Amino acid sequence: SQELEQSPQSLIVQEGKNLTINCTSSKTLYGLYWYKQKYGEGLIFLMMLQKGGEEKSHEKITAKLDEKKQQSSLHITASQPSHAGIYLCGAVYNYGQNFVFGPGTRLSVLP
Amino acid sequence: NAGVTQTPKFQVLKTGQSMTLQCAQDMNHNSMYWYRQDPGMGLRLIYYSASEGTTDKGEVPNGYNVSRLNKREFSLRLESAAPSQTSVYFCASSEAKGWNIQYFGAGTRLSVL
């Protein structure tokens, strides 16, 4: 079974709308990364969260990690076509351990 | 700023053929990784190299071999390709294993007929 779940699996929104993508772990995380992938390209690092309750923002994207360090959300404000792609969360459960990735959320933004 | 470079970008193989996927990074990173990405399953770790001279199995190593040629290069070999190995393969690197940002190549799309 997947250690990391993401919801929704896919999302279609109209340009200008806000949206949220969730990443849920079955156990407490050491820390979490968010990546974005465009078709035919590799993963681009967005943000990393390590402390419970931490929140980070970059341009119109805000990521949060809950206090229990088992759930993270990625919120996009006033979405644009350039936000389209696959968003993946990746977790580390211990400092020296390898990443575990979620299955991804495919986002389409209609102009 | 090349980052992580993978070759080739696309490949079609027949069942039983062999091939090597190449990966090179120019960030002086110690750790390198090979992942495969399949629909609905996210990225799964095939092999990794925590430092030059070491390699270890990841989650799905069967059917693959790797070589850490030097600090820059980490190759993935399919000795006898099978249709189940049809996937998108990504190479990544990081300063060290674990809690460190991983930087990814653009991927290799492999089809095994």
Side-chain angles (χ1 to χ4, degrees), chain A residues 68-87:
Chain A
K68 290 186 178 179
K69 297 178 66 174
Q70 285 189 275
Q71 186 163 2
S72 179
S73 62
L74 188 79
H75 184 78
I76 299 176
T77 303
S79 58
Q80 301 169 348
S82 60
H83 288 127
I86 300 173
Y87 289 82

Side-chain angles (χ1 to χ4, degrees), chain B:
Chain B
N1 293 337
V4 179
T5 304
Q6 288 183 239
T7 55
K9 292 193 186 307
F10 301 94
Q11 185 71 48
V12 179
L13 293 177
K14 294 182 179 178
T15 298
Q17 287 185 318
S18 63
M19 78 161 295
T20 300
L21 281 64
Q22 307 286 353
C23 175
Q25 52 92 6
D26 62 3
M27 295 174 280
N28 200 35
H29 284 166
N30 291 302
S31 300
M32 297 185 73
Y33 312 84
W34 277 105
Y35 292 91
R36 61 178 288 172
Q37 185 178 37
D38 301 293
M41 301 191 73
L43 273 74
R44 292 182 292 168
L45 184 64
I46 305 171
Y47 271 93
Y48 67 98
S49 171
S51 60
E52 186 179 357
T54 69
T55 60
D56 283 289
K57 295 178 180 179
E59 184 185 351
V60 288
N62 291 344
Y64 306 95
N65 285 300
V66 290
S67 296
R68 183 75 183 265
L69 304 169
N70 47 55
K71 193 170 186 180
R72 289 188 64 246
E73 299 173 288
F74 189 39
S75 62
L76 178 72
R77 183 160 178 84
L78 287 70
E79 290 291 352
S80 179
S84 61
Q85 293 178 306
T86 294
S87 189
V88 182
Y89 291 85
F90 288 101
C91 176
S93 71
S94 64
E95 200 166 306
K97 180 174 168 286
W99 183 242
N100 283 277
I101 299 170
Q102 290 189 14
Y103 297 88
F104 286 79
T108 296
R109 295 186 171 272
L110 175 66
S111 293
V112 183
L113 306 178

Side-chain angles (χ1 to χ4, degrees), chain A residues 6 19 27 32 37 58 63 70 82 85 87 92 94 97 107:
Chain A
Q6 286 187 238
L19 63 105
K27 51 187 182 179
L32 185 126
Q37 180 183 16
H58 178 67
Q70 285 189 275
S82 60
Y87 289 82
V92 173
N94 291 294
Q97 200 174 34
L107 172 64

Side-chain angles (χ1 to χ4, degrees), chain A residues 2 9 15 31 33 36 56 61 66 79-80 86 98 109:
Chain A
Q2 196 92 28
Q9 190 174 1
E15 184 176 358
Y33 296 86
K36 178 186 174 185
K56 289 186 177 179
I61 301 177
D66 74 337
S79 58
Q80 301 169 348
I86 300 173
N98 283 319
V109 181

Side-chain angles (χ1 to χ4, degrees), chain A residues 34-38 42-44 46 82-88:
Chain A
W34 282 101
Y35 284 85
K36 178 186 174 185
Q37 180 183 16
K38 287 197 167 184
L43 280 68
I44 304 298
L46 294 176
S82 60
H83 288 127
I86 300 173
Y87 289 82
L88 294 101

